[in-house]
PDB file of all heavy atoms in Angstrom:
ATOM      1  N   GLY A  63     238.994 153.054  27.585  1.00 96.00           N
ATOM      2  CA  GLY A  63     238.288 151.831  27.215  1.00 96.00           C
ATOM      3  C   GLY A  63     239.219 150.823  26.555  1.00 96.00           C
ATOM      4  O   GLY A  63     239.193 149.631  26.900  1.00 96.00           O
ATOM      5  N   PHE A  64     240.039 151.278  25.615  1.00 97.00           N
ATOM      6  CA  PHE A  64     241.000 150.378  24.970  1.00 97.00           C
ATOM      7  C   PHE A  64     241.982 149.809  25.993  1.00 97.00           C
ATOM      8  O   PHE A  64     242.324 148.630  25.959  1.00 97.00           O
ATOM      9  CB  PHE A  64     241.757 151.084  23.839  1.00 97.00           C
ATOM     10  CG  PHE A  64     241.016 151.081  22.539  1.00 97.00           C
ATOM     11  CD1 PHE A  64     240.405 152.226  22.064  1.00 97.00           C
ATOM     12  CD2 PHE A  64     240.906 149.911  21.786  1.00 97.00           C
ATOM     13  CE1 PHE A  64     239.708 152.216  20.858  1.00 97.00           C
ATOM     14  CE2 PHE A  64     240.212 149.888  20.584  1.00 97.00           C
ATOM     15  CZ  PHE A  64     239.610 151.042  20.119  1.00 97.00           C
ATOM     16  N   ALA A  65     242.442 150.653  26.921  1.00 97.00           N
ATOM     17  CA  ALA A  65     243.378 150.188  27.950  1.00 97.00           C
ATOM     18  C   ALA A  65     242.723 149.092  28.791  1.00 97.00           C
ATOM     19  O   ALA A  65     243.280 148.003  28.959  1.00 97.00           O
ATOM     20  CB  ALA A  65     243.826 151.362  28.823  1.00 97.00           C
ATOM     21  N   GLU A  66     241.542 149.375  29.285  1.00 96.00           N
ATOM     22  CA  GLU A  66     240.862 148.414  30.154  1.00 96.00           C
ATOM     23  C   GLU A  66     240.556 147.098  29.439  1.00 96.00           C
ATOM     24  O   GLU A  66     240.772 146.018  29.995  1.00 96.00           O
ATOM     25  CB  GLU A  66     239.572 149.031  30.680  1.00 96.00           C
ATOM     26  CG  GLU A  66     238.881 148.159  31.692  1.00 96.00           C
ATOM     27  CD  GLU A  66     238.129 148.998  32.692  1.00 96.00           C
ATOM     28  OE1 GLU A  66     237.061 149.527  32.336  1.00 96.00           O
ATOM     29  OE2 GLU A  66     238.619 149.142  33.820  1.00 96.00           O
ATOM     30  N   LEU A  67     240.083 147.169  28.216  1.00 96.00           N
ATOM     31  CA  LEU A  67     239.738 145.952  27.470  1.00 96.00           C
ATOM     32  C   LEU A  67     240.963 145.106  27.142  1.00 96.00           C
ATOM     33  O   LEU A  67     240.832 143.939  26.802  1.00 96.00           O
ATOM     34  CB  LEU A  67     239.017 146.317  26.172  1.00 96.00           C
ATOM     35  CG  LEU A  67     237.577 146.786  26.350  1.00 96.00           C
ATOM     36  CD1 LEU A  67     237.058 147.400  25.064  1.00 96.00           C
ATOM     37  CD2 LEU A  67     236.701 145.632  26.805  1.00 96.00           C
ATOM     38  N   ASN A  68     242.153 145.696  27.234  1.00 97.00           N
ATOM     39  CA  ASN A  68     243.379 144.974  26.910  1.00 97.00           C
ATOM     40  C   ASN A  68     244.254 144.757  28.144  1.00 97.00           C
ATOM     41  O   ASN A  68     245.471 144.632  28.037  1.00 97.00           O
ATOM     42  CB  ASN A  68     244.123 145.714  25.792  1.00 97.00           C
ATOM     43  CG  ASN A  68     243.383 145.580  24.473  1.00 97.00           C
ATOM     44  OD1 ASN A  68     243.509 144.585  23.794  1.00 97.00           O
ATOM     45  ND2 ASN A  68     242.575 146.578  24.139  1.00 97.00           N
ATOM     46  N   SER A  69     243.608 144.749  29.322  1.00 96.00           N
ATOM     47  CA  SER A  69     244.244 144.370  30.594  1.00 96.00           C
ATOM     48  C   SER A  69     245.320 145.329  31.097  1.00 96.00           C
ATOM     49  O   SER A  69     246.223 144.929  31.824  1.00 96.00           O
ATOM     50  CB  SER A  69     244.837 142.956  30.492  1.00 96.00           C
ATOM     51  OG  SER A  69     243.833 142.055  30.109  1.00 96.00           O
ATOM     52  N   TYR A  70     245.214 146.600  30.734  1.00 97.00           N
ATOM     53  CA  TYR A  70     246.078 147.624  31.327  1.00 97.00           C
ATOM     54  C   TYR A  70     245.300 148.253  32.478  1.00 97.00           C
ATOM     55  O   TYR A  70     244.067 148.303  32.431  1.00 97.00           O
ATOM     56  CB  TYR A  70     246.446 148.701  30.298  1.00 97.00           C
ATOM     57  CG  TYR A  70     247.238 148.141  29.144  1.00 97.00           C
ATOM     58  CD1 TYR A  70     246.595 147.729  27.980  1.00 97.00           C
ATOM     59  CD2 TYR A  70     248.619 147.994  29.225  1.00 97.00           C
ATOM     60  CE1 TYR A  70     247.318 147.191  26.919  1.00 97.00           C
ATOM     61  CE2 TYR A  70     249.344 147.456  28.169  1.00 97.00           C
ATOM     62  CZ  TYR A  70     248.684 147.052  27.025  1.00 97.00           C
ATOM     63  OH  TYR A  70     249.401 146.522  25.990  1.00 97.00           O
ATOM     64  N   ASP A  71     246.005 148.742  33.491  1.00 96.00           N
ATOM     65  CA  ASP A  71     245.290 149.345  34.619  1.00 96.00           C
ATOM     66  C   ASP A  71     245.287 150.869  34.556  1.00 96.00           C
ATOM     67  O   ASP A  71     244.886 151.534  35.499  1.00 96.00           O
ATOM     68  CB  ASP A  71     245.838 148.839  35.955  1.00 96.00           C
ATOM     69  CG  ASP A  71     247.276 149.240  36.216  1.00 96.00           C
ATOM     70  OD1 ASP A  71     247.957 149.737  35.286  1.00 96.00           O
ATOM     71  OD2 ASP A  71     247.738 149.047  37.358  1.00 96.00           O
ATOM     72  N   GLY A  72     245.728 151.407  33.428  1.00 97.00           N
ATOM     73  CA  GLY A  72     245.721 152.849  33.252  1.00 97.00           C
ATOM     74  C   GLY A  72     246.356 153.228  31.934  1.00 97.00           C
ATOM     75  O   GLY A  72     246.583 152.377  31.074  1.00 97.00           O
ATOM     76  N   PHE A  73     246.650 154.511  31.787  1.00 98.00           N
ATOM     77  CA  PHE A  73     247.181 155.019  30.512  1.00 98.00           C
ATOM     78  C   PHE A  73     248.138 156.165  30.773  1.00 98.00           C
ATOM     79  O   PHE A  73     248.111 156.803  31.827  1.00 98.00           O
ATOM     80  CB  PHE A  73     246.031 155.512  29.619  1.00 98.00           C
ATOM     81  CG  PHE A  73     245.353 156.732  30.188  1.00 98.00           C
ATOM     82  CD1 PHE A  73     245.783 158.009  29.838  1.00 98.00           C
ATOM     83  CD2 PHE A  73     244.314 156.612  31.097  1.00 98.00           C
ATOM     84  CE1 PHE A  73     245.191 159.136  30.393  1.00 98.00           C
ATOM     85  CE2 PHE A  73     243.716 157.738  31.653  1.00 98.00           C
ATOM     86  CZ  PHE A  73     244.149 159.000  31.296  1.00 98.00           C
ATOM     87  N   VAL A  74     248.987 156.399  29.776  1.00 98.00           N
ATOM     88  CA  VAL A  74     249.776 157.630  29.716  1.00 98.00           C
ATOM     89  C   VAL A  74     249.532 158.188  28.327  1.00 98.00           C
ATOM     90  O   VAL A  74     249.811 157.533  27.330  1.00 98.00           O
ATOM     91  CB  VAL A  74     251.289 157.384  29.926  1.00 98.00           C
ATOM     92  CG1 VAL A  74     252.047 158.702  29.803  1.00 98.00           C
ATOM     93  CG2 VAL A  74     251.556 156.724  31.272  1.00 98.00           C
ATOM     94  N   MET A  75     248.970 159.384  28.262  1.00 98.00           N
ATOM     95  CA  MET A  75     248.628 160.012  26.988  1.00 98.00           C
ATOM     96  C   MET A  75     249.724 160.989  26.597  1.00 98.00           C
ATOM     97  O   MET A  75     250.051 161.907  27.349  1.00 98.00           O
ATOM     98  CB  MET A  75     247.293 160.746  27.133  1.00 98.00           C
ATOM     99  CG  MET A  75     246.709 161.245  25.849  1.00 98.00           C
ATOM    100  SD  MET A  75     245.935 159.924  24.897  1.00 98.00           S
ATOM    101  CE  MET A  75     246.189 160.563  23.240  1.00 98.00           C
ATOM    102  N   LEU A  76     250.308 160.750  25.417  1.00 98.00           N
ATOM    103  CA  LEU A  76     251.290 161.650  24.809  1.00 98.00           C
ATOM    104  C   LEU A  76     250.701 162.144  23.499  1.00 98.00           C
ATOM    105  O   LEU A  76     249.676 161.631  23.037  1.00 98.00           O
ATOM    106  CB  LEU A  76     252.591 160.904  24.513  1.00 98.00           C
ATOM    107  CG  LEU A  76     253.204 160.082  25.640  1.00 98.00           C
ATOM    108  CD1 LEU A  76     254.426 159.322  25.129  1.00 98.00           C
ATOM    109  CD2 LEU A  76     253.577 160.982  26.810  1.00 98.00           C
ATOM    110  N   ASN A  77     251.346 163.107  22.875  1.00 98.00           N
ATOM    111  CA  ASN A  77     250.887 163.581  21.575  1.00 98.00           C
ATOM    112  C   ASN A  77     252.062 163.942  20.688  1.00 98.00           C
ATOM    113  O   ASN A  77     253.112 164.368  21.172  1.00 98.00           O
ATOM    114  CB  ASN A  77     249.972 164.804  21.740  1.00 98.00           C
ATOM    115  CG  ASN A  77     248.617 164.413  22.303  1.00 98.00           C
ATOM    116  OD1 ASN A  77     247.770 163.895  21.592  1.00 98.00           O
ATOM    117  ND2 ASN A  77     248.433 164.635  23.594  1.00 98.00           N
TER     118      ASN A  77
END
Side-chain angles (χ1 to χ4, degrees):
F64 276 106
E66 186 149 75
L67 286 168
N68 289 278
S69 304
Y70 297 94
D71 65 349
F73 67 91
V74 178
M75 190 77 210
L76 310 175
N77 287 283

